[in-house]
Amino acid sequence: MEVTRLMARPGGNHLWLPYTQMQTTAPPLTAARTAGTSITLDDGRQLDDGVASWWTACHGYNHPEIAAAVRRQLDEMPHIMLGGMVHRPALELSEALATCLPGDLDHVFFSESGSVAVEVALKMAIQYWLNKGQMGKTHILSFTGGYHGDTQATMAICDPEEGMHHLFTGVLPRQYVQPLPVTAEDEAALEHLLQQSSNDMAAMIVEPLVQGAGGMIFHPPSILRKLRDLADRYHVLLIFDEVFTGFGRTGTMFACEQAGVIPDIITLSKALTGGTMALAATVARKHVFEAFLSDDPKAALMHGPTFMGNPLACAAACASLALFRHQPRLVQVRRIAEIMQRELEKCRDLPFVRDVRVLGAIGVVEIETIEDMNRLKAAFIASGVWIRPFRNIIYLTPAFTMDEATLCRLTDAVYDVVRAGAFRKLP
């Protein structure tokens, strides 16, 4: 199949799509506009969005309060460098994040994407120990099933076997990867590794409660408490990657709250601006920040994305956080969880369904294998919904504002498409 046939529209021959084999992919849809929880295509078809644009549009699309904040900021100052200068939206957002995050997670470093936020966290963790005179603590511990981004350093801490970056094995720096301590055996193996190697380990990083792109794999809050205990006992920093789980997605504002655990560093993005534009934050606790304070300029964090703290994005994020304060978003998440639990459970007895699970506004139907991804995606579109399965996972991560009727159309589509076996290859 020729790429030119797939992209037979103005500009189509030049656009390289993400996570896509351009030789074999089905023709992509063209979105014309969004509103609420729906996407309108250029041919007039309307799709109920079940994934909120990779989990970002938590308040639904085109929220008027966020849009108004961005318009006001656009007239005042669309961008200004954050080097040697600050501005009101960045100051307000950093204060708002420090206020809503637990404990003393109150020193905010902005960037433009979740991957970069994690890169900054890794750099912070390694330099933390360098600034304290411990030169050998330069490695990172991550966990099987984990995904932390597509940039160079983040690829190195993704699952090297099951993740999408296995082609780069042998090219990337080798880091420690262990199973999460779900079983006593796994916990013993993790502690043994820490006993042997913590002297050259700067930090451990985990996606709390849900490993997203690794397969929407859930784990209980007790795992996070174990990691906090091990990190403290073996003197490594604990990083929570909440790019996916932050801002209400798991049922609490941040996933770490369900464990009563405060990481040393937390990374945030995705829903930070309510799905309007790119922004991310790496937030450190007081003791991490203070390790960078010195009369020596070399002890500073030498990192500075050009568009970090962009005023438009900060204004959007401030408006989004205000909606969390003034609207019943977490109550809405609980309602969505109840509906998805009830409706998706019907899939459990269907052939080839391995598991059904729900946490907060995350609903998952795990298939034994998806044989024909293009056919499966086409079946959802024909049902009037936008659902983007991956690997062997069909998932819903809807906007928190979605009404019950729309959500049930999504869950019905999942049930009907799975029952019809649309994930299997035609004979």
Side-chain angles (χ1 to χ4, degrees):
M1 186 181 298
E2 296 180 3
V3 175
T4 51
R5 289 179 57 200
L6 297 182
M7 305 293 284
R9 63 198 71 185
N13 290 336
H14 309 287
L15 182 60
W16 197 335
L17 298 175
Y19 306 122
T20 298
Q21 175 45 259
M22 300 295 289
Q23 179 76 10
T24 59
T25 188
L29 304 175
T30 299
R33 57 188 178 276
T34 55
T37 58
S38 69
I39 303 167
T40 301
L41 305 180
D42 63 348
D43 60 11
R45 285 180 294 168
Q46 195 170 76
L47 303 178
D48 295 318
D49 186 357
V51 296
S53 280
W54 275 330
W55 329 314
T56 61
C58 54
H59 309 290
Y61 291 113
N62 305 31
H63 195 285
E65 293 184 30
I66 299 177
V70 172
R71 289 190 189 100
R72 287 193 300 270
Q73 188 59 47
L74 182 62
D75 289 337
E76 293 176 7
M77 180 176 61
H79 184 64
I80 192 73
M81 63 188 292
L82 209 60
M85 191 173 291
V86 296
H87 53 80
R88 177 183 51 79
L91 294 169
E92 291 182 358
L93 179 56
S94 58
E95 182 176 15
L97 287 171
T99 299
C100 67
L101 282 162
D104 61 342
L105 283 164
D106 55 9
H107 290 84
V108 183
F109 190 96
F110 290 119
S111 57
E112 307 105 317
S113 75
S115 293
V116 176
V118 175
E119 292 258 357
V120 172
L122 303 181
K123 191 171 180 178
M124 267 184 196
I126 292 169
Q127 190 175 344
Y128 169 86
W129 295 109
L130 295 175
N131 284 356
K132 292 173 75 69
Q134 299 191 45
M135 310 306 288
K137 292 173 75 69
T138 58
H139 287 80
I140 306 296
L141 167 65
S142 60
F143 295 96
T144 305
Y147 169 81
H148 301 283
D150 301 331
T151 51
Q152 194 82 352
T154 60
M155 286 196 297
I157 58 171
C158 294
D159 189 315
E161 300 298 328
E162 297 296 326
M164 66 184 78
H165 304 309
H166 65 276
L167 290 176
F168 292 85
T169 301
V171 177
L172 300 168
R174 295 200 60 172
Q175 304 288 8
Y176 297 107
V177 182
Q178 287 284 116
L180 278 168
V182 176
T183 67
E185 182 181 5
D186 290 339
E187 185 174 359
L190 176 58
E191 182 153 15
H192 178 73
L193 174 65
L194 288 164
Q195 289 170 347
Q196 299 297 313
S197 304
S198 62
N199 286 339
D200 71 353
M201 196 179 293
M204 62 174 76
I205 184 168
V206 66
E207 300 158 90
L209 301 187
V210 186
Q211 292 177 305
M216 296 293 177
I217 305 165
F218 298 175
H219 55 263
S222 59
I223 299 297
L224 306 179
R225 291 190 285 271
K226 289 178 185 177
L227 295 181
R228 179 72 275 178
D229 175 64
L230 289 169
D232 290 340
R233 284 198 280 128
Y234 291 97
H235 305 290
V236 299
L237 296 181
L238 179 61
I239 303 170
F240 280 1
D241 179 352
E242 293 226 29
V243 168
F244 171 36
T245 58
F247 305 106
R249 183 56 63 181
T250 65
T252 48
M253 193 65 175
F254 303 99
C256 61
E257 297 175 48
Q258 296 185 39
V261 166
I262 303 171
D264 299 295
I265 302 170
I266 194 168
T267 61
L268 306 168
S269 190
K270 295 291 188 190
L272 176 55
T273 66
T276 55
M277 58 188 69
L279 184 67
T282 305
V283 188
R285 293 179 67 178
K286 181 180 179 181
H287 67 275
V288 175
F289 175 76
E290 289 182 344
F292 290 79
L293 302 180
S294 172
D295 292 331
D296 183 358
K298 294 179 182 177
L301 179 61
M302 300 304 291
H303 202 94
T306 301
F307 281 90
M308 68 178 294
N310 170 255
L312 291 174
C314 288
C318 286
S320 177
L321 289 178
L323 290 171
F324 276 103
R325 291 194 300 272
H326 303 309
Q327 299 291 324
R329 290 294 180 260
L330 297 182
V331 173
Q332 292 169 319
V333 171
R334 288 195 291 273
R335 177 186 59 84
I336 287 170
E338 291 169 359
I339 295 168
M340 290 201 297
Q341 187 72 62
R342 180 188 74 220
E343 298 298 320
L344 291 179
E345 187 62 25
K346 301 171 186 176
C347 297
R348 189 176 296 278
D349 295 328
L350 293 175
F352 306 104
V353 171
R354 181 181 292 172
D355 191 28
V356 176
R357 51 188 180 269
V358 173
L359 177 65
I362 308 167
V364 180
V365 176
E366 182 176 344
I367 308 297
E368 288 182 8
T369 184
I370 294 176
E371 299 173 354
D372 190 334
M373 187 65 78
N374 284 338
R375 181 178 176 229
L376 178 59
K377 291 177 180 177
F380 283 126
I381 293 165
S383 300
V385 300
W386 178 242
I387 296 173
R388 187 177 169 84
F390 68 98
R391 295 174 62 168
N392 65 328
I393 300 298
I394 299 170
Y395 73 93
L396 297 175
T397 51
F400 305 155
T401 53
M402 182 172 283
D403 60 65
E404 183 169 355
T406 306
L407 184 55
C408 286
R409 285 199 297 271
L410 288 163
T411 56
D412 286 348
V414 172
Y415 179 82
D416 291 342
V417 167
V418 172
R419 183 179 60 176
F423 53 89
R424 305 191 72 190
K425 285 184 178 179
L426 291 172

